[in-house]
Amino acid sequence: AVAELLDNAVDEIKTGATRIVVDKIVNKRNGSPALLVQDDGGGMDPDSMRRCMSFGFSDKQSGSSIGQYGNGFKTSTMRLGADAIVFSRCMKGSGPTQSVGLLSYTFLAETGQKDVVVPMVDYKYDLLTGDAIQYERHGADQFCSNLSVLLKWSPFATEEDLMGNFSDIGPHGTKIIVFNLWSNDDGVLELDFDTKEEDIMISGAPNPAETTNAVKRTNENHLSNQLRYSLRVYASVLYLQLPGYFKIILRGQEVQRHSIATDLIYRQAVSYTPLEFLRKKEGEVVTSIGFLNGAPTISVHGFNIYHRNRLILPFHRVLSSASSKGRGVAGVLEANFIKPTHDKQDFEKSQLYQKLIIRLKDMTTEYWDLHSHLIGYQKKPRASVSPTPPGMLTASDTIAEPSERNAVGAGLSVAPWRGGTRDHPASAIPIAFAPPHLSVPAGTSGHAPCSMPAAQMVPATDSAETRKRRNEDDVQMDPCKRQAIQSLEVDNQICQRMTERDLNEFEHLKFENQQLHEECLELEVAEKELLLKEQQLRLQIQQAEAQYKSLLNEYISATPVRTHMR
């Protein structure tokens, strides 16, 4: 719920927001704790304020905005507490304005309202003098009625106290105060402000220091568990990227941003694009996958799936935890082609989402099979046939080893295989390039495939005595067996040539792919720098416009004085 309010401030970066403050304050009316969320974004004019506090309306039509349903502010504040009051100052439109609105469950329940009534008052604001003049858009009677409701049901008993909340907002920005916070079944506030002075916790969070088991304590201290109870930890990974000048201030201390990808060891980048988005840039997903630093002691696993820069699913498991397979494997990706649910805690279970999860399962299994030995697990032999094209097989996996009996039955002499083993391969062959097995005609007992090593085959340039003996054997051999052996020899030579050529091509493509990947990383860094410069220039423009308006107002106010002197 707090993240929804953070999202609103992050969306205001494009209007010049540089910070958001989250803190605990005291309700002056009854002394109870209240939650403060304040930003220095563009603020809301009277019309925008009414739309914000009405259900089902959203101004955010841009594809870059996080919110899209128009209910985030209402549902989040009502989840945190019974009542919320909003103060906003804005410089858009005809002139500077400041507005106050109250969304109060207490007021609606105790007055028996059948409709959601949101009392609001507006003021015209003078930047030079700091004076606020009542802006009676719908008449003086309605203004007075709304003001009386605000003073009765909010933490502020007088209009002067109400206006005092704008003193630290500046020329533009928004302040939200959620009060009468909810309690759990035990009568304890759901938000815990006392356990850590620099944090806001969920009440009832486990304390790792009380755990005697060292391994369990290590896992409970891990970020994947702490983010479920700690707002500071959660906010540190909530966004993939933020401008360097934008700060999240939680209880007086800046939240240090953290990239989960930096916690991965033996990290790899895997690209995935659904068929429906092959020609669209937003469909490509690049997943960083690896083992969490500390694996296998850290038994956490799963993928952190972001949507439009916002974390939706943290450490989402795609494999069953019943076995050790996939233990410690984690990943980070941004999937903009699927839609999150209205509360941004999950994704809609569409076909695109299901396909993505299946791909992540395969990705985890493949990564585990290839790299689990790096963290102490015993490497298991891979099957000779795998349906996953990007996988790698060792040379010994793609080579069948016929028994001496079958080879002799086929009229072949067998030499011992001195190539690589599964653990120490002589060379690696992509599964996609693994040669197919030969179909031996019925009635033969041979199982020799066309991909038999050259060392097991008699060289084509053998001695005259060997050729003579082979010809004599061929005369005595039945036609079916002779045809199979001739086909085997020809296919084996072809497979040998294809394997060498394909291996060379694979190495070349791998080198090119590495170069392109490095170029992409450089371009991404350059793009981030340009975006940062753009944000800074926009901020300078906003400041220049504010200064211009200030000077213009000063000039206008000075004009009557000069005329009078003349």
Side-chain angles (χ1 to χ4, degrees), residues 156-226:
F156 311 100
T158 66
E159 187 177 11
E160 183 180 359
D161 289 341
L162 203 65
M163 293 297 99
N165 284 276
F166 288 98
S167 61
D168 60 348
I169 289 181
H172 49 77
T174 302
K175 176 189 291 187
I176 302 170
I177 299 175
V178 184
F179 55 103
N180 293 331
L181 300 173
W182 297 118
S183 301
N184 57 27
D185 294 339
D186 297 327
V188 179
L189 287 178
E190 290 183 331
L191 294 181
D192 177 8
F193 297 99
D194 301 327
T195 300
K196 294 184 179 180
E197 293 183 356
E198 75 283 359
D199 202 356
I200 299 177
M201 308 284 289
I202 297 294
S203 294
N207 185 2
E210 298 176 354
T211 305
T212 57
N213 186 295
V215 174
K216 186 176 180 181
R217 182 168 60 251
T218 301
N219 280 275
E220 288 183 354
N221 275 320
H222 192 265
L223 176 145
S224 60
N225 290 315
Q226 288 295 310

Side-chain angles (χ1 to χ4, degrees), residues 477-495:
M477 197 179 301
D478 62 278
C480 183
K481 185 176 294 187
R482 183 167 54 252
Q483 180 181 357
I485 292 175
Q486 291 174 353
S487 176
L488 175 65
E489 293 177 354
V490 173
D491 288 352
N492 181 72
Q493 295 174 6
I494 295 175
C495 287

